[in-house]
Amino acid sequence: MDVDPRHYDNIAVNDGDIQNIVLSYLVHNCYKETAESFTTCTGLKHHTDYLVDMAKRKRIYDFAVEGNALKAIELTEEVAPGLLEKIEDLHFDLLSLHFVELVCSRKCTEALEFAQVKLAPFGKLHKYVEKLEDFMALLAYEEPEKSPMFHLLSVDYRQRVAESLNRAILAHGNLPSYTAMERLIKQVTVVRQSLSQELGKDGFQSFSLRDFLKS
């Protein structure tokens, strides 16, 4: 079910609002140079702290994606002291990235020692037991990338952890943890789904964001 374009064709959208949505995306994803150029071209005002914060968050994000989790942890403690103590799940994920890097480097003895010192304490909580078992199972394979847990070695996994860390740092600094664009899309999707359900109860066709963006 789609909305007649005549219902919104005459609704004016403020250019400043659109520009702020774009800037929010650039700041969130640490596109520092692009954000600087964008603010210069549009005349948008921005806080200098945002640019400094972006540079630091970008380094942390890159370290996490590259697998240099210990450096990411070190810089996180500088930028957001106490954050990882507060969010144990995130701390565990970062430590697990380092463990994986040791395994991939075939430093199995060092990986085992690291797990015993840094990861084992998390085993006191039931929610970490299965995760610990999956990571420790990697040691049993000569080629861990061919194991059933191969996804733990993937770039996608590191990117998910890095993105979670980025959102957490933003929230710690009292900044939105999601971009304005993401929040707007989520809100539009919920509203459209609700309207579709309410107006098309008999022949309900669920709203598809992907199809809407193609239209």
Side-chain angles (χ1 to χ4, degrees):
M1 178 179 179
D2 204 356
V3 177
D4 191 329
R6 290 175 296 179
H7 292 168
Y8 54 76
D9 273 351
N10 295 323
I11 296 177
V13 179
N14 186 285
D15 287 344
D17 291 337
I18 296 176
Q19 292 166 358
N20 277 308
I21 289 173
V22 174
L23 182 60
S24 168
Y25 177 84
L26 297 175
V27 170
H28 177 95
N29 291 289
C30 306
Y31 297 131
K32 184 173 179 290
E33 293 182 0
T34 305
E36 290 176 327
S37 298
F38 186 73
T39 53
T40 299
C41 292
T42 59
L44 285 175
K45 295 181 179 180
H46 61 81
H47 298 290
T48 305
D49 291 346
Y50 281 14
L51 300 180
V52 175
D53 174 68
M54 266 193 286
K56 292 179 178 178
R57 285 190 295 108
K58 177 62 174 174
R59 291 181 64 200
I60 293 171
Y61 182 92
D62 288 344
F63 278 131
V65 172
E66 293 164 3
N68 193 346
L70 296 186
K71 191 63 179 179
I73 290 173
E74 178 185 336
L75 291 180
T76 298
E77 289 298 340
E78 292 179 10
V79 174
L83 173 65
L84 297 180
E85 293 179 11
K86 181 179 178 181
I87 309 179
E88 289 186 333
D89 288 357
L90 186 54
H91 194 192
F92 175 86
D93 288 341
L94 286 167
L95 292 173
S96 70
L97 289 185
H98 180 66
F99 173 82
V100 166
E101 284 304 303
L102 292 174
V103 172
C104 290
S105 300
R106 304 302 190 264
K107 298 178 180 178
C108 295
T109 300
E110 189 176 342
L112 182 58
E113 292 174 351
F114 178 82
Q116 291 173 335
V117 175
K118 295 294 185 178
L119 295 178
F122 286 90
K124 297 176 182 179
L125 297 178
H126 179 72
K127 66 177 181 177
Y128 294 112
V129 173
E130 186 174 348
K131 290 183 177 180
L132 282 169
E133 291 175 346
D134 286 344
F135 282 108
M136 295 306 296
L138 293 171
L139 292 171
Y141 294 87
E142 291 185 5
E143 298 180 278
E145 60 276 4
K146 295 182 180 180
S147 73
M149 290 72 63
F150 70 92
H151 63 282
L152 298 175
L153 285 64
S154 68
V155 174
D156 286 344
Y157 178 75
R158 295 198 298 273
Q159 287 178 332
R160 286 198 297 272
V161 174
E163 179 57 31
S164 295
L165 178 57
N166 186 46
R167 288 197 300 267
I169 293 174
L170 286 167
H172 186 271
N174 296 317
L175 295 171
S177 55
Y178 289 89
T179 68
M181 188 180 300
E182 289 176 289
R183 287 180 280 128
L184 182 60
I185 289 175
K186 288 179 180 179
Q187 183 173 346
V188 168
T189 300
V190 170
V191 170
R192 291 294 300 274
Q193 287 177 338
S194 297
L195 285 174
S196 295
Q197 292 177 25
E198 183 63 28
L199 300 177
K201 292 180 179 178
D202 295 331
F204 170 63
Q205 181 177 0
S206 61
F207 170 69
S208 168
L209 177 62
R210 179 176 297 179
D211 291 342
F212 175 76
L213 293 175
K214 291 179 180 179
S215 64

